[in-house]
Amino acid sequence: MRFAPIANVLFVALVAGNGPSMAQEAVDRELFSYGMELYLENCAVCHGENGDGKGPLASGFAPRPRDFTTGVFKFKSSEPGVFPAQTDLFDTILHGVEGSYGSMMPRFEHLDIEDLIALTEVIRVAAGTPSYGDLVVAPPRPEPADLTRGAALYGELGCADCHGETGDGRGVLSTELTDAEGLKILPADFRTGQFKGGSDPEEIWMRLYTGMEGTPMPSFARNASGEDLWALVEYVLTFSDDGS
C-alpha cells in the first residue's frame, strides 16, 4: 500500500477507515505523524514523498534508493521472506549502508531513539505490513574456524560465480547481474572488508542466512546449517585478512 502525498496530511486513508487503511496500520497516530515530519525532512529527497524510491535525487544513485512500498528489504535479521524486525530498520537508518563500492546511504546519527522509532513506523506503514518480523538469532561462532569446510562451501554454493575465486567481485556472472528492477548490480568485493548490511562476522552470517531480497544474493538458510554458514563466513573473511 502506498501512502498518500503530504498534501493530504495524515492522509485521507488515515482517518477514512476504508478497507485495510493506514488508520488500522498506524497503531500510534501521533508517532506516525511525527515520523512523517522527519521522513519528509530527511528521507523523501531520495526515497520519495510516497516512499516509492523516486525522490528528486534517486536517479543519481546505483543501486537506487529503496522502494518501501514493495515491502522488500535487503538488510534484515528476520526469516527469509518475512518483513524486517524493527531493529533492522532502526539500525539501517542509524548506521547507513556502506559496502565495498562505497557508501550508498548516509548515517543519521543525529537522530535520537524516538526519531528513529517514528521513522521505522512510517516505513512499516508504507510497506503495508501489519507487523515487524521476529529476529533470527545466529548460533554461537565455532572455534576453531573450519576454513576447509568454508572453502568447500564457497564453491558448492556458487559464491565464486559472482564474487570470484579470490573474492574480488569479478566472478563469471558478475557482469550479468541485475536487481529486481532490472538495474545492474555489482557483487561485493570481499577484499575490502566492507560489507553492505554490516561487516561484523555476525552480520555477515545473517546476510548468508537471510539473503538480500530484491538482489541476486540468495538465502542459504535451506542449503546449509548454521555451523556451515559460520565456516563460510570464516572463509570469506580470509579474503580481507580480517577474521576478528
Side-chain angles (χ1 to χ4, degrees), residues 19-172:
S21 71
M22 288 196 180
Q24 294 169 304
E25 295 181 23
V27 176
D28 187 329
R29 296 187 184 187
E30 184 176 353
L31 179 67
F32 178 74
S33 178
Y34 177 56
M36 276 305 307
E37 293 177 12
L38 291 168
Y39 178 88
L40 291 169
E41 180 181 347
N42 296 280
C43 313
V45 67
C46 292
H47 293 283
E49 288 187 357
N50 296 326
D52 58 6
K54 297 178 180 177
L57 300 183
S59 62
F61 291 89
R64 297 288 179 85
R66 178 67 25 199
D67 178 355
F68 299 133
T69 66
T70 66
V72 175
F73 293 80
K74 292 181 183 178
F75 312 117
K76 64 193 193 74
S77 51
S78 57
E79 290 288 343
V82 175
F83 193 74
Q86 187 172 30
T87 54
D88 292 327
L89 302 179
F90 187 105
D91 289 343
T92 300
I93 298 168
L94 180 63
H95 300 299
V97 179
E98 184 176 355
S100 57
Y101 294 99
S103 177
M104 302 299 175
M105 176 176 163
R107 298 170 180 261
F108 287 92
E109 295 176 331
H110 64 285
L111 299 177
D112 61 26
I113 292 176
E114 183 183 62
D115 295 340
L116 294 167
I117 292 174
L119 281 171
T120 64
E121 185 65 1
V122 170
I123 295 170
R124 181 188 68 78
V125 172
T129 187
S131 61
Y132 300 100
D134 295 325
L135 288 169
V136 169
V137 178
R141 186 180 184 183
E143 294 183 2
D146 189 348
L147 295 179
T148 300
R149 178 59 178 154
L153 286 164
Y154 192 80
E156 292 170 11
L157 297 177
C159 305
D161 291 343
C162 296
H163 296 283
E165 294 289 348
T166 61
D168 60 2
R170 298 178 181 177
V172 294

Side-chain angles (χ1 to χ4, degrees), residues 157-198:
L157 297 177
C159 305
D161 291 343
C162 296
H163 296 283
E165 294 289 348
T166 61
D168 60 2
R170 298 178 181 177
V172 294
L173 299 180
S174 62
T175 60
E176 304 174 12
L177 301 177
T178 57
D179 64 15
E181 297 180 357
L183 300 174
K184 183 177 177 60
I185 190 169
L186 296 172
D189 179 350
F190 296 144
R191 300 172 303 172
T192 68
Q194 296 293 323
F195 296 80
K196 293 180 182 178

